[in-house]
Amino acid sequence: MKKDRYHGNDLIRIAIIIGDFLLLNLLVYLCLEQFDDKTPDYFMDHNAVVVMVANFAMLVAEYFFNTIVYHRRLSVIDLLRRVFMLSATQSALMFFLLRSISRGGGFFKFMYYFAGFLFIALLLARLIERGIILYLRSKGKNTQSILFVGNDPANLMLYHDMLENSSAGTYVKGYYADEPIENAPEQFVHLGNLQQLNAQMEEDKDKTNLGIDLLFCCLSHDESAFINRVIHFCDNHVVHFYYVPRMSGNLHLRLIPELYGDVTLFTNRREPLTFIENKFLKRTFDIVVSALTCLVLLPFLPIIALIIKMQSPGPLFFVQNRTGLNGHTFKCYKFRSMHVNNQADTLQATKDDPRKFPFGEFMRKTNIDEFPQFFNVLKGDMSIVGPRPHMMLHTEMYGKLIDKYMVRHFCRPGITGWAQVTGFRGETKELWQMEERIRRDIWYLENWTFWLDLKIILKTALTIIRPDKQAY
């Protein structure tokens, strides 16, 4: 038999979907009545058709993007994205269908306002619905009852994570283990040893409802027979079983399951850019934007070359070996911003570096010197956004000094990156500055989204207008 929590979530979802349709029809009515000066004649003459099409479009949109507001782990970004996709799909489909069966003008203007109002209305409704759900969970409704097995520190970490996420609506009964978990709070109750758990399972074997929804087990593989007994018990009592990977001492590993063929493995890091659809999206964006940028830049090359030559004899481009994807070396291109010198491969640029000439300093402050790297992007050596490629000397030096330094090379280096737009650009005078830069580079490759790339590009573009104080 299904648990009440499943029925509860189903009822919440159904109620919210019904609310979406009521909201849609109210909005259609208001738009037809209140915005008659912006409403196409066809809409005024065929109200019933408009209502039917609007509801059909919402039905399709709900099928693909129905509510997730009841999810126990839900970020604001996920909520915004879901509401946007729901309203955009409904509005686009409604516009297409009405435009295909009628004639006349004014459709786009009407649908533009309608889509905006629908998005705002659905978003406000979701925020109210989310607030109601959180209130009910705070009163003990729509909650999950959880039991832990094992005294590994991993269980304690998971318990603390549940406490921090109050929106999850979880109630932890406690844990069974032969020894208490070290440093566990009093609220995390030690219910007994594994022998007592075994006796409890035997006592409850004929019960249909144990009041437990989830069981998290973290035991040694030496306990495989007991683990299988727990799994069998969970399967027969509609309790979801999860095996929690153990920790070794104080080593905090967040292992993530992955399929390798038909075998489930565990990895310590999930990188969104290892998925082919994400690779395709990022690479396509890189090629299109880089090609356009190179075309736009072409007429300015003679002017930039003339100014550089006037202020400093030497080549137009500065070419340097840098460390790229998977640790491979590539030649990175920049407009030359310094006088030709023999310290280019060993010494970082400083604030009042005498090697810089005036126009070179201007290019560095406004990122113009990085523009030739769009050619590197076209070649496939770089991406528009990613960890900044370091000179070979720094890779060798910091690779020995900073833990996980080489992780940043799991993705293509970028013309700009998350570290650069969050205050860690330019000279690294102290080791902690480079450590923080590496931490942000790793965060980027573990949390990549297309929207994050666009955000970084926008922040970088603003430095052309308002130069970064760390850019020198």
Side-chain angles (χ1 to χ4, degrees):
M1 103 184 239
K2 281 190 175 184
K3 298 285 183 182
D4 289 341
R5 68 187 178 91
Y6 294 113
H7 289 307
N9 285 344
D10 288 341
L11 289 173
I12 290 171
R13 187 170 64 251
I14 291 169
I16 292 175
I17 290 173
I18 292 172
D20 288 348
F21 277 94
L22 292 175
L23 196 61
L24 171 75
N25 284 278
L26 177 62
L27 190 60
V28 170
Y29 171 77
L30 290 174
C31 285
L32 291 177
E33 291 295 322
Q34 302 299 321
F35 297 101
D36 52 343
D37 57 327
K38 298 180 179 66
T39 304
D41 293 338
Y42 179 84
F43 284 31
M44 301 301 294
D45 297 336
H46 302 84
N47 287 350
V49 175
V50 173
V51 171
M52 288 177 60
V53 170
N55 281 274
F56 174 76
M58 179 58 92
L59 187 66
V60 174
E62 290 279 2
Y63 177 81
F64 291 102
F65 302 107
N66 59 29
T67 182
I68 55 172
V69 75
Y70 57 88
H71 281 193
R72 298 186 185 275
R73 290 180 177 272
L74 181 66
S75 70
V76 175
I77 297 298
D78 289 335
L79 186 64
L80 281 170
R81 185 185 298 117
R82 196 76 172 189
V83 172
F84 174 78
M85 293 305 298
L86 176 65
S87 58
T89 302
Q90 192 281 336
S91 301
L93 184 58
M94 179 179 169
F95 172 77
F96 174 78
L97 292 174
L98 288 173
R99 197 71 187 87
S100 63
I101 62 175
S102 63
R103 294 181 180 179
F107 278 69
F108 183 81
K109 188 175 182 180
F110 177 86
M111 290 306 303
Y112 174 80
Y113 284 105
F114 180 82
F117 287 132
L118 181 61
F119 172 75
I120 294 170
L122 288 173
L123 182 59
L124 290 175
R126 290 293 182 269
L127 294 175
I128 294 170
E129 291 154 2
R130 184 66 172 168
I132 293 171
I133 291 171
L134 295 183
Y135 174 77
L136 291 174
R137 285 175 179 169
S138 71
K139 298 298 182 182
K141 305 294 184 181
N142 190 242
T143 59
Q144 291 179 316
S145 183
I146 295 171
L147 184 68
F148 286 86
V149 178
N151 65 350
D152 194 272
N155 272 348
L156 183 59
M157 268 188 69
L158 188 56
Y159 171 76
H160 283 308
D161 189 51
M162 289 176 179
L163 289 186
E164 290 173 5
N165 186 16
S166 58
S167 66
T170 54
Y171 166 66
V172 178
K173 288 198 165 187
Y175 69 98
Y176 284 93
D178 286 338
E179 297 291 338
I181 299 176
E182 189 176 349
N183 298 321
E186 291 183 5
Q187 298 90 333
F188 195 19
V189 183
H190 183 207
L191 300 172
N193 58 33
L194 298 184
Q195 187 176 352
Q196 290 171 304
L197 173 60
N198 194 47
Q200 188 66 49
M201 289 192 297
E202 184 64 27
E203 182 181 331
D204 294 340
K205 66 179 181 180
D206 295 325
K207 293 183 179 179
T208 56
N209 192 337
L210 304 177
I212 300 171
D213 299 307
L214 308 173
L215 186 146
F216 294 94
C217 179
C218 189
L219 295 173
S220 165
H221 289 177
D222 295 337
E223 302 279 357
S224 58
F226 185 77
I227 294 172
N228 283 329
R229 192 152 56 248
V230 173
I231 293 173
H232 181 73
F233 178 82
C234 289
D235 287 344
N236 287 331
H237 292 82
V238 201
V239 176
H240 282 274
F241 174 90
Y242 293 91
Y243 181 78
V244 183
R246 300 183 71 217
M247 293 180 180
S248 300
N250 292 322
L251 182 62
H252 289 196
L253 292 177
R254 292 183 177 271
L255 299 179
I256 303 164
E258 280 191 3
L259 280 177
Y260 191 85
D262 294 328
V263 180
T264 301
L265 305 177
F266 289 88
T267 181
N268 64 329
R269 181 172 293 105
R270 174 157 290 171
E271 303 153 43
L273 287 173
T274 59
F275 297 99
I276 190 166
E277 63 272 20
N278 292 338
K279 282 183 179 179
F280 177 79
L281 177 61
K282 187 172 176 67
R283 185 63 185 144
T284 301
F285 179 80
D286 282 346
I287 291 173
V288 172
V289 174
S290 296
L292 291 173
T293 304
C294 288
L295 287 173
V296 170
L297 182 64
L298 202 58
F300 296 96
L301 274 177
I303 301 171
I304 295 172
L306 180 62
I307 299 173
I308 291 175
K309 291 286 187 180
M310 287 174 62
Q311 295 192 1
S312 175
L316 170 63
F317 297 107
F318 171 69
V319 184
Q320 187 180 58
N321 286 337
R322 299 283 180 99
T323 308
L325 180 65
N326 297 322
H328 296 308
T329 303
F330 73 98
K331 293 189 180 298
C332 181
Y333 299 96
K334 299 176 70 174
F335 284 128
R336 186 169 58 85
S337 58
M338 293 184 174
H339 298 295
V340 176
N341 64 90
N342 56 10
Q343 295 179 304
D345 293 329
T346 57
L347 185 64
Q348 275 186 305
T350 58
K351 187 172 183 178
D352 299 310
D353 202 314
R355 296 174 296 170
K356 292 184 290 186
F357 52 87
F359 183 64
E361 185 164 10
F362 168 76
M363 288 195 296
R364 295 179 76 92
K365 284 185 177 293
T366 56
N367 292 308
I368 292 174
D369 64 320
E370 311 284 3
F371 273 41
Q373 287 166 34
F374 282 103
F375 180 65
N376 282 117
V377 176
L378 285 175
K379 286 177 61 183
D381 296 328
M382 295 178 64
S383 177
I384 293 174
V385 180
R388 283 295 297 155
H390 291 169
M391 64 176 73
M392 305 301 294
L393 179 67
H394 280 178
T395 298
E396 183 179 349
M397 179 174 68
Y398 289 118
K400 296 174 182 177
L401 295 174
I402 299 176
D403 185 37
K404 299 181 182 178
Y405 175 88
M406 296 303 291
V407 172
R408 69 196 304 275
H409 300 113
F410 282 152
C411 70
R412 280 190 179 92
I415 297 174
T416 184
W418 181 242
Q420 284 64 46
V421 299
T422 53
F424 287 85
R425 177 188 174 183
E427 184 184 9
T428 49
K429 296 178 181 179
E430 299 181 36
L431 183 62
W432 71 267
Q433 293 172 307
M434 182 61 79
E435 288 175 336
E436 187 61 26
R437 182 182 291 184
I438 301 310
R439 189 180 72 81
R440 290 166 192 247
D441 287 341
I442 294 173
W443 182 89
Y444 168 79
L445 70 93
E446 290 180 341
N447 295 274
W448 177 90
T449 65
F450 182 67
W451 304 109
L452 178 60
D453 272 5
L454 294 181
K455 178 180 178 180
I456 293 170
I457 290 170
L458 178 61
K459 281 179 170 287
T460 304
L462 291 175
T463 62
I464 297 177
I465 304 168
R466 190 178 61 229
D468 189 338
K469 293 179 180 179
Q470 299 297 320
Y472 47 78

